[in-house]
Amino acid sequence: MKKVLTYGTFDLLHWGHINLLKRARNLGDYLVVALSTDEFNAVKNKKSYHSYENRKMLLEAIRYVDEVIPESTWEQKISDVIDNNIEVFVMGDDWEAKFDFLKDYCEVIYLPRTEGISTSKIKQDLFAVSSQ
Ligand code: C2G
């Protein structure tokens, strides 16, 4: 079974996230998503609208996602790849080259981001509407 691994916050789940998860899943037979905890989001200077538990529940409802594990540090990726027998690591290309150190352990693929949508765009657009 070819296992694929990706990481993210996946807040305010949108079609850009789904596009990424779908393509990642299609690179193997089983997709593990390492989901940033609320505490790790603070390390990333991100504040999620949805809690970790609710973001996890949403991801687990997606047909392309087979398993969700917590991401709580920047340093856990090598052990995640080894411990989960991962063959393919996938991220959107806004992270291009940032995780090439994983090439010693698995295939590393950066996929084109989906243009026109992002969690911050959703927040900005909703704020603009509510300010009218
Ligand atoms: N993404 C995408 N297209 C978008 C928005 C997001 O392809 N329009 C991808 C990102 O490139 C990423 C994934 O969806 O691969 C999750 O996005 P975020 O939740 O923003 O992830 P991020 O905060 O970048 O977390 O250790 C890695 C970090 O946890 C990555």
Side-chain angles (χ1 to χ4, degrees), residues 41-55:
N41 273 337
V43 173
K44 297 198 295 185
N45 294 317
K46 276 193 162 183
K47 174 97 183 68
S48 284
Y49 179 80
H50 294 308
S51 68
Y52 173 81
E53 284 310 316
N54 288 333
R55 288 182 286 118

Side-chain angles (χ1 to χ4, degrees), residues 9-26:
T9 296
F10 295 98
D11 193 29
L12 301 184
L13 198 62
H14 56 69
W15 41 279
H17 293 137
I18 302 301
N19 269 342
L20 186 283
L21 295 168
K22 180 177 184 177
R23 286 174 294 162
R25 174 64 177 74
N26 289 339

Side-chain angles (χ1 to χ4, degrees), residues 70-81:
E71 177 189 30
S72 42
T73 70
W74 287 115
E75 294 79 23
Q76 70 183 71
K77 291 185 174 67
I78 292 175
S79 52
D80 286 349
V81 167

